[in-house]
Amino acid sequence: MALTSSQRGAARAEGIGRAASYYAATAVGRRERATLRGDTRADVCVIGGGYTGSSSALHLAERGYDVVLVEAECLGWGASGRNGGQLGSGQRKDVLELEAAFGEARAQTLWRLGEEAKAAVKQRIGRHGIACDLKPGVLTVAHKPADAPYLARVAERLRTHYGYAQARAVPREEVAEMLGTARYHGGLLDSDAAHLHPLNYALGLARAAEDAGARLFERSPVRRLRAARPGVEVVLESGSVRARYAVLACNGYLAALEPRAAAKIMPISNFLLATAVLPEALARSLIRDDVAVADTKFVVDYYRLSADRRLLFGGGERYTHRLPADIGQFVRRYMLRVFPQLADTPVEYAWGGTLAITRTRLPSFGRLDGDIYYAQGFSGHGVALTTLAGKLIAEAIAGTAERFDVFAGLPQPDFPGGTLLRWPALVLAMLYYSLRDKL
């Protein structure tokens, strides 16, 4: 796919520091929205223009609410437009982990909600004609020998207790036939999971919200959120929104806007690259069946082929705001450990972004002061769950909070030290688990 000069400029604009995003370079239907100036009123003010914010705006507007959405940068600028594009099944934790933590009945409920989330993404793509290169299949591969039988147990449990026959264990020999590497010990193939162009999905979701009647504003950063009984006042640099309800959909970019919610998440930086376009034979030798791949390391390697046959590879994390001096070289090290045959393949794009994790790796939902709703901390499983989050927030605001409360009722421990002192403890923990990956 040849890129125009304007597309390359968009990629640079989307980058963090020196990072240029392949997704921004291949964005479909992007256009600028106005900055919110002056004072306005709405039923609901949504803060954040990623998946959670646009889904909330869409579902609320479809219910007849007057919705204003404000985004500090441009729609899809954050993790929603930069991630690995994997649409996974269930929750970030597998069903065996959920059963051990909560019992089978609650695990079943969480599994069903995760499946509804995945289906909702596919339905929205079809209903709104979102061109985001949706492709089927995610292969989870075993980094260590003990991981392979565990993945087989998960697949069997899904089949026998959850009625899910779309996941199967894959032996080591077959994984080696599917991928251009022999480093893995087995895997789990989920044929109903999928992968997509994340920024184009984010932009399509935003357009759908706008078509439903929501008012969307870009480059409209929020400075304060305060109670204004009844309801809330959202104070921006260039205006304000007085609303009955507010939705915090900022995730890793929440910062100090709402410390009570921010204490429950940890922003971390993750990085990806896109190679040059690969010959057909080489592309298929790397990922024979064009599925997305993720391994079982704590610091996950994840990769897939783009629609124009580039390898999109994610690897490595940083736990500070300091970026690698050369993001492409930083990620390339991880890529070459998996695919050394790409040593002479150019890297044409490399970028990073900020996601948010929770201590439990399950999402953090809640209400503050009765009028402020939040959903955050999707911990790398957000493509599906963010779309569902918007639907559940809309249900709760409309008066039916039972399903929202399934997530709001999950344990949500704060990070020790709050938003100021949480970093040292996290870095030590991450370094420990990173070391375990290497052993």
Side-chain angles (χ1 to χ4, degrees):
M1 177 186 295
L3 302 178
T4 67
S5 59
S6 63
Q7 286 175 319
R8 291 187 184 277
R12 288 191 293 272
E14 276 297 287
I16 296 180
R18 290 174 290 279
S21 162
Y22 166 76
Y23 298 137
T26 53
V28 174
R30 163 175 265 153
R31 63 181 181 82
E32 288 193 9
R33 272 77 173 182
T35 296
L36 192 152
R37 300 189 186 282
D39 302 325
T40 191
R41 289 179 175 269
D43 296 325
V44 186
C45 181
V46 177
I47 304 170
Y51 298 145
T52 303
S54 290
S55 178
S56 298
L58 172 57
H59 286 95
L60 286 161
E62 287 179 337
R63 288 176 172 267
Y65 288 90
D66 178 20
V67 182
V68 166
L69 181 151
V70 290
E71 162 58 43
E73 300 290 344
C74 54
L75 297 170
W77 185 86
S80 297
R82 304 171 188 266
N83 65 78
Q86 298 201 13
L87 178 62
S89 299
Q91 303 290 332
R92 172 66 173 80
K93 286 185 173 289
D94 64 61
V95 293
L96 296 181
E97 293 175 295
L98 293 175
E99 288 179 10
F102 305 118
E104 184 175 344
R106 202 170 180 189
Q108 290 272 1
T109 298
L110 289 168
W111 169 261
R112 288 193 297 271
L113 285 169
E115 287 302 279
E116 180 181 342
K118 184 177 65 178
V121 173
K122 296 178 181 180
Q123 290 163 2
R124 288 295 179 180
I125 290 169
R127 177 176 171 182
H128 304 292
I130 301 174
C132 60
D133 306 326
L134 182 68
K135 303 179 188 180
V138 173
L139 175 66
T140 303
V141 288
H143 172 65
K144 295 181 179 179
D147 295 339
Y150 181 83
L151 292 174
R153 286 176 54 210
V154 171
E156 178 66 10
R157 190 71 176 178
L158 286 172
R159 185 184 67 82
T160 58
H161 285 68
Y162 292 78
Y164 190 77
Q166 293 91 336
R168 69 174 180 90
V170 183
R172 179 171 190 164
E173 298 76 15
E174 187 178 355
V175 170
E177 293 170 359
M178 297 172 70
L179 304 177
T181 179
R183 70 185 276 115
Y184 302 121
H185 301 274
L188 184 154
L189 178 63
D190 186 342
S191 59
D192 194 54
H195 52 110
L196 49 73
H197 188 301
L199 178 55
N200 281 340
Y201 175 61
L203 295 174
L205 205 59
R207 285 193 298 272
E210 210 162 39
D211 290 344
R215 292 177 282 161
L216 276 52
F217 296 91
E218 295 180 325
R219 294 179 173 82
S220 302
V222 174
R223 293 300 175 232
R224 293 191 308 281
L225 175 63
R226 60 192 183 196
R229 303 297 182 197
V232 295
E233 184 179 21
V234 180
V235 181
L236 293 84
E237 284 186 347
S238 54
S240 69
V241 183
R242 184 75 177 265
R244 179 66 184 85
Y245 301 99
V247 176
L248 286 173
C250 307
N251 203 38
Y253 297 89
L254 179 60
L257 182 60
E258 177 41 72
R260 292 171 293 178
K264 300 183 182 302
I265 55 175
M266 175 68 70
I268 65 173
S269 298
N270 200 255
F271 307 99
L272 296 94
L273 63 74
T275 68
V277 174
L278 304 176
E280 176 76 27
L282 176 57
R284 295 301 171 217
S285 73
L286 299 179
I287 309 177
R288 185 191 67 191
D289 302 323
D290 202 13
V291 298
V293 183
D295 69 17
T296 55
K297 291 193 302 181
F298 185 80
V299 181
V300 179
D301 289 340
Y302 52 96
Y303 47 92
R304 61 192 186 91
L305 295 171
S306 67
D308 59 352
R309 293 199 316 274
R310 301 169 189 269
L311 183 68
L312 306 178
F313 193 100
E317 293 176 347
R318 284 283 176 94
Y319 313 117
T320 72
H321 294 296
R322 180 179 296 175
L323 301 175
D326 185 328
I327 292 176
Q329 285 300 111
F330 179 81
V331 182
R332 189 172 179 271
R333 298 199 316 267
Y334 294 92
M335 179 183 75
L336 293 182
R337 291 172 190 169
V338 180
F339 296 123
Q341 60 268 47
L342 296 180
D344 296 326
T345 299
V347 171
E348 293 196 350
Y349 298 90
W351 65 98
T354 299
L355 67 150
I357 61 173
T358 63
R359 290 179 63 187
T360 65
R361 299 304 187 270
L362 294 171
S364 168
F365 284 41
R367 283 182 292 259
L368 300 170
D369 303 327
D371 300 321
I372 302 169
Y373 289 77
Y374 66 85
Q376 58 185 10
F378 298 97
S379 302
H381 201 74
V383 177
L385 292 178
T386 48
T387 302
L388 179 69
K391 182 178 182 180
L392 300 187
I393 288 170
E395 290 178 3
I397 288 175
T400 306
E402 180 180 359
R403 282 150 44 90
F404 179 89
D405 287 342
V406 171
F407 287 106
L410 293 173
Q412 296 185 49
D414 290 357
F415 277 86
T419 57
L420 294 177
L421 301 177
R422 59 190 171 178
W423 293 102
L426 176 79
V427 170
L428 288 174
M430 292 298 193
L431 290 174
Y432 168 75
Y433 284 109
S434 297
L435 179 62
R436 288 183 57 183
D437 284 342
K438 296 177 175 66
L439 297 178

